Amino acid sequence: MSDLPSFSLPSIFDNPKGWGPSSGHPPSTSFKDVPYVLYSKGDKVSRVANWISPADARDTRDNRNRNRRDFNQQTYGSNSASAFVYQAAEDEETFSLVDKRGAAAKKMAVRGMGRGGFGGRGRGRGAGMQRLGRGGARGAMQGGFRRRFRWRDDPTQHHRMTSVKPEESWELVQDIEFSRMADLSFSAREARVAGMYGSVGVYDHAFDRVTTRLEKPLRASGAVRYNATAREDPVLAQQADVKVFATDSVLATLMAATVSTSAWDVVVNRVGSSLYLDKREGGPVDFPSVNENAAEPPADSGEKDASINLAPMLAMEARDVNSNYIRQITGKSRVEYEANPFGGSGETPDDSAYKYRILDFSAREQKAESDSDSEAEEPIIGDKCLVALRTEVSGLLATGTGAHKQMFIRALTQHDVSAQGAGGALDWRQKLDSQRGAVIATEMKNNASKLARWAFQAVLAGADQLRIGFVARVSPRDRTRHAILGFQTYNPSDFVAQLGLNEFNAWGIAKALIDLCLGLEEGKYVIMRDPNKPLILLYKVPSGTFEDEQDEPEAE
């Protein structure tokens, strides 16, 4: 009996007031200095015993609902620093990568193995490719094709060129983001009309019957179009008590700044207490852009610089088409005003009259609700700010009463629907009469900046009607022959709203930029639109900048 094994019960220390050994019965010395994980109040004990960590689980029987069940579950002891974490610093220093393929390449190579891949047991073609991307096999193939061949819908591919390159001598005064101008609001008031100069033609109603089946060829005009700057205008120089001098094309460019995507620039001359907002000779203000806002705009340059579908060539073509279109549809008769202040002897001026307006840009206090019905003007805050503006009246529309309505006329052009930069436009000869709404909607998307400038020019001129013609090439490869296919008329203010713009916000942008320039020191400045960022830059430039360019003859 003495050879039989003996068994004795160990001593157990009971702790009725809590977990672990009590203070009166210390634990055995065999567990001394052994680290343990401290208890954290943020831990949630949801299982009696869980010896497998969710990250290291190998049991796949319940993997379908594991992620959903453990999404909000916190691992016990994760809130405290663990003393059991393995430190592999020494091993990582000696580690070297043998397989140099990327993670995406590894996945494609592994999942392409086998008949059905790892996506299932099916034997279909795309069974092993279902996990390549969110869109399945088709989306993965399209994504790889686009990355490999630089698909054109990549927004980073459209790198636009600056209208003028800043030099080292230029000093950046301020940059303004478009988002800062979104909440501006103002309403300019007309102080008076300074006069009408030149001559203008009366609209010929025979063009109301023009359709795609009854198109009319566009005739070339030999008239000279004058577009002098504000500093060169003798009529603006005669206006007294005026601080700011500008033209409608320049001010409309500033009002439509947030809609533009291509680069433009405006020259600012601060002379004494006067401010002149001028265009640069041969700059973007003189040439209407074509499909500027399209997802794929026309290229600025290419292998063949003489290509007729490049953006500079299309802009020159659009300028000539507009001049010829205005003269042709307003050739019924002429109305003479005061003598044209521009031009010389032996030149035939164009059929556009110049209307000079004085606008009040003074800041005024808002009326109280109790005084909203009173006719008294609000008091002016600060100094009075008057803007002398030269606008354009393209034609007159005869009415039954014998009076004439003032018109602002422009023309949209279509070069080649299959060429780069067409913007996915419909063929006007086939769709203009049957799907006019779709054609206009596409043009509002592709030419939002140009249409916004035209709308604001009509608003600045106080025109009663905005008439937009549709002119297309007779042959896509000939930029000299065009045909008139139709037209569309709008009220200028209503057309601004149809473009999704706020007229008061446009006035506010012009007011903010004018106030900013009035606070500058005397000198010459340039307001630029950054070609690749929604940003307006204000530079201070030397006094002789751009003067050499104005002396050179304009290249046709």
Side-chain angles (χ1 to χ4, degrees), residues 19-61:
W19 292 94
S22 62
S23 58
H25 301 280
S28 176
T29 57
S30 59
F31 301 104
K32 187 178 180 181
D33 299 331
V34 175
Y36 64 96
V37 179
L38 299 177
Y39 174 75
S40 175
K41 295 182 178 180
D43 296 332
K44 297 180 181 180
V45 182
S46 59
R47 298 176 184 175
V48 176
N50 183 16
W51 306 105
I52 302 176
S53 175
D56 299 332
R58 296 295 181 267
D59 188 4
T60 59
R61 289 175 297 178

Side-chain angles (χ1 to χ4, degrees), residues 436-458:
R436 181 177 293 265
V439 171
I440 294 176
T442 304
E443 294 304 316
M444 286 184 177
K445 180 188 69 173
N446 295 336
N447 295 284
S449 177
K450 178 171 63 176
L451 292 175
R453 295 181 188 182
W454 291 349
F456 289 135
Q457 282 185 264

Side-chain angles (χ1 to χ4, degrees), residues 520-554:
L520 300 174
E521 300 177 353
E522 290 193 34
K524 196 170 189 178
Y525 301 84
V526 174
I527 301 177
M528 297 177 53
R529 200 269 189 214
D530 191 284
N532 301 302
K533 297 179 181 179
L535 202 66
I536 291 180
L537 305 175
L538 176 60
Y539 285 96
K540 184 176 183 180
V541 300
S543 58
T545 309
F546 306 132
E547 292 184 359
D548 296 338
E549 299 179 2
Q550 296 179 3
D551 297 338
E552 297 178 357
E554 182 180 349

Side-chain angles (χ1 to χ4, degrees), residues 408-476:
F408 187 83
I409 304 172
R410 287 295 183 269
L412 291 170
T413 57
Q414 187 174 65
H415 51 286
D416 188 358
V417 294
S418 60
Q420 178 184 358
L426 302 175
D427 191 350
W428 291 354
R429 283 187 168 84
Q430 298 180 2
K431 304 296 183 180
L432 183 59
D433 292 339
S434 59
Q435 301 181 17
R436 181 177 293 265
V439 171
I440 294 176
T442 304
E443 294 304 316
M444 286 184 177
K445 180 188 69 173
N446 295 336
N447 295 284
S449 177
K450 178 171 63 176
L451 292 175
R453 295 181 188 182
W454 291 349
F456 289 135
Q457 282 185 264
V459 171
L460 292 173
D464 301 309
Q465 186 183 101
L466 171 63
R467 180 173 293 254
I468 299 177
F470 296 90
V471 180
R473 290 179 183 175
V474 176
S475 174

Side-chain angles (χ1 to χ4, degrees), residues 147-398:
R147 286 192 299 270
R148 181 177 179 184
F149 297 100
R150 293 186 62 82
W151 194 251
R152 293 175 180 175
D153 61 356
D154 185 8
T156 60
Q157 186 178 359
H158 305 315
H159 184 78
R160 300 178 184 267
M161 300 175 60
T162 58
S163 59
V164 57
K165 186 177 180 180
E167 300 179 359
E168 296 181 357
S169 58
W170 293 16
E171 178 185 355
L172 180 62
V173 178
Q174 191 171 358
D175 55 346
I176 307 172
E177 298 178 355
F178 284 0
S179 58
R180 296 171 54 187
M181 299 186 291
D183 297 331
L184 298 177
S185 181
F186 186 74
S187 179
R189 303 185 179 187
E190 183 177 12
R192 62 182 184 275
V193 177
M196 294 280 293
Y197 293 82
S199 61
V200 65
V202 179
Y203 175 72
D204 188 357
H205 286 278
F207 287 89
D208 291 344
R209 298 186 293 270
V210 173
T211 60
T212 55
R213 297 182 180 180
L214 301 175
E215 62 181 40
K216 285 193 175 183
L218 183 67
R219 299 192 303 265
S221 173
V224 179
R225 180 176 177 80
Y226 305 110
N227 194 8
T229 61
R231 296 191 66 180
E232 299 172 349
D233 196 317
V235 180
L236 292 178
Q238 299 175 1
Q239 307 303 320
D241 301 332
V242 176
K243 285 186 176 182
V244 185
F245 303 88
T247 60
D248 59 344
S249 59
V250 172
L251 194 58
T253 301
L254 299 180
M255 296 173 69
T258 56
V259 193
S260 61
T261 56
S262 297
W264 48 264
D265 56 88
V266 172
V267 181
V268 179
N269 289 282
R270 192 76 168 89
V271 182
S273 60
S274 301
L275 175 65
Y276 294 89
L277 302 176
D278 294 332
K279 67 180 183 63
R280 181 171 56 87
E281 188 68 27
V285 179
D286 289 336
F287 300 91
S289 60
V290 177
N291 294 342
E292 174 184 342
N293 300 87
E296 184 185 356
D300 295 330
S301 61
E303 297 179 358
K304 298 180 179 180
D305 294 337
S307 175
I308 60 176
N309 293 329
L310 293 178
M313 301 297 292
L314 292 176
M316 294 178 61
E317 178 183 352
R319 181 198 60 176
D320 298 337
V321 166
N322 275 274
S323 179
N324 298 334
Y325 179 73
I326 294 173
R327 186 173 181 83
Q328 182 171 348
I329 69 173
T330 58
K332 186 176 182 180
S333 59
R334 297 173 62 87
V335 176
E336 299 288 341
Y337 298 102
E338 297 188 33
N340 196 319
F342 310 109
S345 59
E347 294 180 344
T348 302
D350 58 359
D351 287 344
S352 296
Y354 301 104
K355 181 179 180 181
Y356 291 86
R357 302 179 67 190
I358 309 298
L359 301 180
D360 189 359
F361 271 73
S362 303
R364 299 177 181 272
E365 295 182 358
Q366 294 184 356
K367 288 184 178 181
E369 296 182 358
S370 58
D371 300 335
S372 58
D373 297 336
S374 62
E375 298 180 357
E377 293 186 356
E378 301 89 341
I380 297 176
I381 302 175
D383 298 335
K384 191 174 184 179
C385 180
L386 296 180
V387 179
L389 195 66
R390 185 186 75 228
T391 64
E392 175 188 340
V393 177
S394 306
L396 298 178
L397 182 64

